[in-house]
Structures are given as structure tokens and as C-alpha cells.
Amino acid sequence: MTLLKVENISYRLSNDKIILSDINLNVDTQDFITITGPSGGGKSTLLKIIASLVTPTVGKIYLEEQLQTDYLYTDYRKEVSYCFQQPTLFGETVGDNLRFPFEVRNLPFNQKAAVEKLKAVALPASYLDKKITELSGGEKQRVALIRNILFSPKLLLLDEVTTGLDEDSKKIVHQLIDQLQQTGVTIIQVTHDETEIYQAKKVLWIKGGKLAYEPSRG
């Protein structure tokens, strides 16, 4: 079943520089798609357009056959979750960040669920009270990721989330992503990581704003 349809998407800057040109893509439920290609090719821009963070110059996005622009912004973001390359945390503590998904849904904070997610990324329950200024880069990324999945989205967008992480943090993030995919979450990731590309089930290539299947690995 098609979850997401990207139809004739193009994006150009105000100076007429073309970032994306006539992108078409169908994403099925439970797909795990990896997008790679040279820096500046338009990969992150495509992910941000799918996430409704950037408005395309031309084209349409459909989620479950409904036009992206017909969704309330808050409703769409509950179904399509975007995780930034540089984790953006707010407030003072880890707990402040993990309460947020409950607050936007007008639900009481489920501390047990939050602690379970922390443990899933090898962080103890005591981290709920830990100041975000005391976290390492890898810990910040793990907190940002579990904030995005405390309520499982239908589509998870990962924008080079393992870039700059040490090997232990990468392994923990990979395990969590694999578990999510196995539970039915559809995933699109952008990466330059050669191991992630090699292990990917479906690879797409963006170069110069054009989308294509990756050339044969030979």
C-alpha cells in the first residue's frame, strides 16, 4: 500500500538556482528507503519538503492519498516525524523534551514510556532530570530521536542522524531504527555513511537535483 506519494516536486531558490527538479517517488508502507548522493544535491531539501518544513516551488505531496496541504500542520507532524542532523533540544532537561510529545497531544506525561525509550538507547531513568547542556553529542541525538518516536509516526525521516556520532552511539541508533522498522514504521533516511548505504534495502541517488536508483554496485 502506498503511504507517501511525491509528485513532480521541484524547488528553486529566489535567485533561480534549481535545487530539485521534477522528483517523483512512491513510498510503500513499511518501506525503508536510503537516499544518498553528493553534498548539495538536494537530499535534505527533499526530506524537509516531505516533512512540510519547506514548501516546494512546484509539485504535490500526498500522505495516504490526502494532499499534504489539506492536513492541519499539527496533525501532519504527528504522522510524519523529522529528525535533524544536528539535534535540537529545548528547555533545560531531558524530561522537558520527552514531555513535549504528550503536551502537544493534550495527554498526561507517561514517565514509564519515557524511561523505557531511554533504556532502549542505553540511557538510564535518571537522565529525565539531566540538563541538556551536560549531554554529549551522541546522547543529544538519542534523546532527539526518542522524542520523535514516543508516539510512533507513520513515516520517520532521518536526516544524516548518525553523522559525527562515535561507533557506540551509531550502533545504538541503528538498533533502535531497525526495531522501529520491524514494528511497521516507514523510514526514509538521508546518509553519506558507506556502511549504512551498503546495508540498505533500497537505495536512491540524488545528484544535481535529480532522483534515480543507485547505479549497480557491480
Side-chain angles (χ1 to χ4, degrees):
M1 177 180 175
T2 299
L3 175 67
L4 181 84
K5 184 177 182 181
V6 176
E7 187 176 90
N8 305 125
I9 289 291
S10 295
Y11 182 75
R12 65 174 62 206
L13 301 177
S14 56
N15 62 2
D16 280 344
K17 180 180 179 181
I18 296 172
I19 305 298
L20 294 171
S21 180
D22 198 27
I23 302 292
N24 289 280
L25 175 64
N26 286 337
V27 180
D28 291 335
T29 300
Q30 289 190 276
D31 262 353
F32 190 160
I33 295 174
T34 297
I35 299 176
T36 190
S39 296
K43 303 181 300 299
S44 290
T45 300
L46 176 59
L47 230 58
K48 288 174 182 175
I49 288 172
I50 294 172
S52 194
L53 297 174
V54 171
T55 301
T57 307
V58 178
K60 298 175 181 178
I61 302 286
Y62 295 88
L63 179 70
E64 293 186 323
E65 300 184 354
Q66 182 174 335
L67 196 62
Q68 182 189 62
T69 51
D70 287 344
Y71 282 87
L72 290 174
Y73 182 72
T74 51
D75 290 343
Y76 187 83
R77 292 300 302 276
K78 290 173 185 175
E79 305 293 356
V80 179
S81 188
Y82 178 93
C83 202
F84 291 83
Q85 177 179 346
Q86 297 296 329
T88 304
L89 302 182
F90 46 77
E92 295 184 359
T93 67
V94 170
D96 290 338
N97 286 268
L98 301 189
R99 287 183 180 89
F100 179 71
F102 294 91
E103 291 170 355
V104 298
R105 292 168 173 82
N106 295 313
L107 294 173
F109 179 54
N110 186 333
Q111 182 168 321
K112 181 179 178 181
V115 168
E116 286 176 352
K117 285 292 190 290
L118 283 171
K119 290 180 178 178
V121 293
L123 297 176
S126 61
Y127 265 54
L128 281 175
D129 298 319
K130 195 171 183 69
K131 294 185 181 299
I132 60 174
T133 54
E134 298 174 354
L135 300 175
S136 68
E139 289 172 340
K140 287 179 180 178
Q141 189 60 279
R142 283 181 259 170
V143 170
L145 184 56
I146 62 174
R147 182 184 63 196
N148 282 44
I149 61 159
L150 269 165
F151 293 85
S152 289
K154 291 179 180 175
L155 176 61
L156 179 62
L157 306 173
L158 304 172
D159 195 354
E160 300 193 60
V161 296
T162 61
T163 298
L165 300 186
D166 59 57
E167 290 304 312
D168 286 343
S169 291
K170 276 187 181 182
K171 183 178 179 181
I172 291 166
V173 169
H174 287 157
Q175 288 173 342
L176 180 62
I177 292 169
D178 288 342
Q179 290 169 8
L180 285 170
Q181 208 268 332
Q182 290 169 16
T183 62
V185 177
T186 304
I187 298 171
I188 304 176
Q189 70 170 348
V190 163
T191 185
H192 286 108
D193 187 284
E194 291 183 4
T195 300
E196 292 174 354
I197 295 167
Y198 180 77
Q199 294 177 346
K201 299 174 183 177
K202 185 183 293 185
V203 180
L204 301 178
W205 178 270
I206 290 185
K207 182 177 181 181
K210 297 282 190 178
L211 181 66
Y213 283 93
E214 185 192 22
S216 171
R217 298 170 182 170

